[in-house]
Amino acid sequence: MQSPSSSNARTAGSRGDAGPGRAAPTPARASAVRGTTQRRYSYWFYAPAGVVYGVIFVLPTLISFYFAFTRWDLFESEWIGLDNFRQFFSEQSLRSSLVNTLVYAVTTSGLKVVLGMLLAIVLTSSIRLKGLLRALTFFPVLVSTVAVGITFSVLLQPDFGIVNAALAKVGITGPDWLGDPDTALLSVAAVDVWKGVGLATVIYIAGILSIPRDYYEAVEVDGGGAWTQFWNVTLPLARPATFTVILLSFIGGLRSFDLIWTMTGGGPGFASDTIASVIYKQYQAGFYGLATAGNVVLFLLVSAIVFPLARFFSSREVDL
Amino acid sequence: MSAQTLTPARRLRRLGTEVLAVGAALVVFVVPFVFIVLTAFKDEFEASDLTFSLPTTWPVLDNLREVFAARDGMLLVAFKNSTILTVSSVAILVVLCSMVAFVLQRRPGRVSDVVGALILSGLIIPPAIVPTIWVLQKLHLFKTIPGLVLVEVAFSMSFTILLYRAFIAAIPRELDEAAVIDGCSSLTLFFRVIFPLLRPVTITSILTNSVFIFNDFVNPLYFTPGDENATVQLTLYNFLSQFSTQYNLLFMNILVITIPPLLVFVLFNGKIVSGMTSGAVKG
């Protein structure tokens, strides 16, 4: 975090003097140059981006707190107090979306942490073909979510799908992954992990490669094995990477919509509906006030989880 | 650590791990893509089996032609729309975000703290969809490509600014001072002196944002409904019901829209990975 102080205009950079290779100017002139330079960092540079961001992102976020309390058809709105929220928490279909969203976010981020770490350890070890393996795990990150969703909904079909066909070969009758209310949400979560684990892996690889080799050698000198190396060196020192992976996949998981929408449409029934898919359904049905209330609920949920989590993580990172 | 110093037993164990790792990766990460290609190359009857087998006939070009001809050439229109959307969004993002990142990194203080907090909020807070539609409608930009461009720019801004800020931190301030002594104004300082130095991170941000925006499904779904302004991701969605019995065409469509990200991946994999990890870790 930067230290906020209005007087650091002149001391900014605090390098004492001009860079190497240049004769040092007198302190007075140096500070004059700094001051002039400082004025070249014009706050006007914020303006174009600020206008777009303000109008398209900040303004809608703010007014959502008004329209969430209304019955709204985009042209006229009628204040109905807490009715939308009452409906959100009383209707079974809407309430279960809250639980589903949490289950989905926790499952996907948990699996991405574990599998991402595992893959990263394999892919930073001394095995050959590392480059190929890294590329293979990362490519799904770049493929469109809709394409992945459609492909996997075919692969996971109960009768013909190749997943169940392969299971049948070893004598297991696979379930109707996406058609059974008990497995639908978790099947989509698994595909989400398949698509996203490559990103977690490259973040972990970057984290692991930044750990100085000396630590591993120290463990070896002390006679510790691979497990000690993992438990006492890799795991604690890759903690920033773990925090990043958790935060990213939690934010993504809480918002996730496209994969669920293409694979199950929230079904069967509303077994795999998340808040984001409920928002879309209410929007399609023309309940704009209710959809906006869903957005506010999602906003509150994300803020209640992610902001404290981020603060906790950044406080822990200082301890390292 | 080299292979020569390993004992035969360890070498064998390593070979075992390698075979296992490559085998698992092939099954888990390659089979789905091979399935897409195989199904896209089959005729309609064979594709409906959904089996993992080689096609007996190869109507590749016929399938390709049919996918592009469907719905009066909707896919072609969608490719045009997606290209316009991606190119203009990314161009605007690069200019606007590099400017913000420059001042943000160079001029810490209360204003920049507020800006920084807004940027972090942009990464975390989910956009309010229907109010955004309302705002776009007031601006007469709802259901238009320019409106969608603004949406993509606003939603990708935080990530792109953080990407640039991390890079700008490594450019020495003495350069700015020298340019100012030479009489540069704010704009010439940035666009003539600093911006050219940002080339590596500009390339990374172009690639990463292009893939994200080209692949985006949710925002086009909400903000440009209808055939006329459909993007490629929506064609897939629209075709889903139409092709529900014509899996060969559905998967040919998937294949066609996966080719642009595949090209980016093959040519610039390293750049994208570095962009995503540095942006992510700094975020």
Side-chain angles (χ1 to χ4, degrees):
Chain A
M1 297 290 144
Q2 317 114 326
S3 62
S5 122
S6 51
S7 69
N8 61 8
R10 241 156 290 140
T11 55
S14 64
R15 279 186 199 80
D17 240 324
R22 228 169 3 121
T26 62
R29 240 197 94 199
S31 75
V33 168
R34 293 261 156 81
T36 323
T37 311
Q38 200 66 22
R39 258 174 276 129
R40 293 292 183 273
Y41 305 140
S42 166
Y43 283 141
W44 283 108
F45 277 31
Y46 289 148
V51 169
V52 176
Y53 191 73
V55 173
I56 307 290
F57 181 74
V58 179
L59 179 65
T61 304
L62 294 178
I63 60 177
S64 72
F65 284 92
Y66 167 72
F67 285 119
F69 296 96
T70 65
R71 190 178 290 119
W72 183 30
D73 63 1
L74 278 182
F75 298 100
E76 282 169 29
S77 58
E78 181 198 341
W79 184 266
I80 53 168
L82 285 169
D83 277 9
N84 287 329
F85 293 94
R86 229 169 264 140
Q87 194 177 348
F88 214 99
F89 289 103
S90 62
E91 252 179 60
Q92 177 61 33
S93 60
L94 303 183
R95 208 172 41 196
S96 71
S97 74
L98 273 176
V99 180
N100 287 346
T101 306
L102 284 173
V103 170
Y104 190 89
V106 171
T107 318
T108 49
S109 46
L111 284 175
K112 280 177 193 172
V113 166
V114 175
L115 295 175
M117 177 64 120
L118 207 71
L119 281 169
I121 288 173
V122 173
L123 295 180
T124 50
S125 68
S126 63
I127 68 167
R128 283 164 292 190
L129 298 170
K130 262 184 290 204
L132 174 75
L133 289 170
R134 281 185 199 179
L136 287 181
T137 50
F138 186 70
F139 181 57
V141 174
L142 303 181
V143 177
S144 98
T145 314
V146 196
V148 169
I150 293 174
T151 306
F152 271 91
S153 57
V154 168
L155 297 180
L156 291 173
Q157 282 212 348
D159 305 321
F160 320 101
I162 64 169
V163 172
N164 277 2
L167 287 176
K169 286 237 167 73
V170 291
I172 302 170
T173 313
D176 183 356
W177 300 99
L178 300 172
D180 185 332
D182 291 333
T183 52
L185 186 69
L186 293 178
S187 303
V188 180
V191 176
D192 189 313
V193 172
W194 179 86
K195 184 176 164 20
V197 75
L199 185 57
T201 307
V202 295
I203 292 172
Y204 268 121
I205 288 178
I208 290 175
L209 290 181
S210 72
I211 299 173
R213 294 293 104 189
D214 313 6
Y215 289 101
Y216 292 102
E217 281 158 22
V219 174
E220 249 166 51
V221 169
D222 289 349
W227 180 250
T228 321
Q229 287 186 340
F230 170 73
W231 197 252
N232 290 332
V233 180
T234 311
L235 199 59
L237 290 181
R239 203 182 280 156
T242 304
F243 293 164
T244 307
V245 172
I246 293 179
L247 273 184
L248 278 185
S249 43
F250 225 91
I251 294 168
L254 288 173
R255 290 177 181 193
S256 80
F257 166 71
D258 33 13
L259 199 60
I260 289 168
W261 194 247
T262 40
M263 290 187 73
T264 66
F270 35 82
S272 59
D273 257 331
T274 59
I275 298 178
S277 74
V278 163
I279 293 172
Y280 184 65
K281 281 180 177 174
Q282 301 303 335
Y283 163 72
Q284 268 189 320
F287 298 125
Y288 299 131
L290 191 56
T292 308
N295 245 132
V296 169
V297 171
L298 185 58
F299 173 94
L300 296 176
L301 189 70
V302 171
S303 313
I305 295 173
V306 174
F307 281 111
L309 206 61
R311 187 157 315 139
F312 171 72
F313 285 169
S314 59
S315 73
R316 291 293 295 270
E317 267 175 56
V318 176
D319 293 341
L320 269 176
Chain B
M1 274 300 214
S2 67
Q4 284 82 5
T5 62
L6 291 174
T7 62
R10 288 191 81 176
R11 212 181 298 174
L12 202 67
R13 225 179 82 189
R14 196 183 69 164
L15 189 70
T17 322
E18 280 164 3
V19 171
L20 203 72
V22 174
L26 286 179
V27 170
V28 175
F29 289 106
V30 179
V31 164
F33 293 109
V34 176
F35 178 81
I36 294 175
V37 176
L38 289 177
T39 314
F41 288 178
K42 288 175 180 175
D43 64 36
E44 190 187 332
F45 176 72
E46 241 187 311
S48 63
D49 284 351
L50 303 177
T51 50
F52 191 77
S53 59
L54 278 179
T56 47
T57 60
W58 297 75
V60 181
L61 286 177
D62 288 339
N63 289 351
L64 199 60
R65 208 172 300 130
E66 260 190 83
V67 165
F68 275 101
R71 291 242 216 141
D72 302 326
M74 184 183 177
L75 186 55
L76 218 53
V77 175
F79 256 106
K80 197 190 82 189
N81 289 337
S82 280
T83 310
I84 295 174
L85 172 70
T86 309
V87 171
S88 23
S89 308
V90 170
I92 297 174
L93 273 170
V94 163
V95 177
L96 263 51
C97 296
S98 58
M99 287 169 74
V100 171
F102 178 60
V103 177
L104 190 66
Q105 200 281 323
R106 287 296 200 249
R107 196 171 172 181
R110 207 159 295 157
V111 178
S112 293
D113 284 346
V114 172
V115 172
L118 279 171
I119 291 167
L120 284 186
S121 314
L123 281 182
I124 295 173
I125 294 170
I129 307 279
V130 191
T132 310
I133 291 177
W134 183 77
V135 168
L136 288 175
Q137 216 164 38
K138 293 275 169 207
L139 299 170
H140 303 287
L141 288 171
F142 184 47
K143 296 190 188 182
T144 66
I145 297 284
L148 188 55
V149 168
L150 290 182
V151 168
E152 298 288 4
V153 168
F155 295 174
S156 306
M157 216 172 243
S158 298
F159 164 77
T160 314
I161 292 174
L162 292 176
L163 201 61
Y164 270 109
R165 190 179 66 172
F167 191 88
I168 290 172
I171 295 179
R173 272 161 198 273
E174 283 75 15
L175 202 70
D176 309 0
E177 283 159 16
V180 169
I181 290 173
D182 288 347
C184 277
S185 70
S186 296
L187 286 174
T188 48
L189 165 64
F190 181 70
F191 285 104
R192 286 277 171 78
V193 180
I194 303 295
F195 190 75
L197 295 175
L198 303 179
R199 219 175 88 111
V201 70
T202 299
I203 293 173
T204 305
S205 99
I206 289 175
L207 293 170
T208 317
N209 280 313
S210 298
V211 171
F212 273 134
I213 294 172
F214 185 83
N215 281 343
D216 186 20
F217 168 70
V218 182
N219 294 317
L221 180 71
Y222 275 116
F223 302 115
T224 52
D227 285 3
E228 182 193 348
N229 288 323
T231 63
V232 288
Q233 305 303 325
L234 288 184
T235 63
L236 214 49
Y237 178 68
N238 289 339
F239 283 151
L240 190 54
S241 49
Q242 191 197 345
F243 286 163
S244 57
T245 48
Q246 290 172 282
Y247 283 104
N248 54 340
L249 300 190
L250 178 62
F251 280 95
M252 182 55 94
N253 197 349
I254 291 181
L255 187 61
V256 167
I257 69 160
T258 307
I259 286 173
L262 178 68
L263 281 181
V264 171
F265 170 74
V266 169
L267 298 174
F268 308 103
N269 185 20
K271 276 268 168 199
I272 292 218
V273 169
S274 76
M276 285 192 177
T277 46
S278 81
V281 174
K282 298 295 181 311

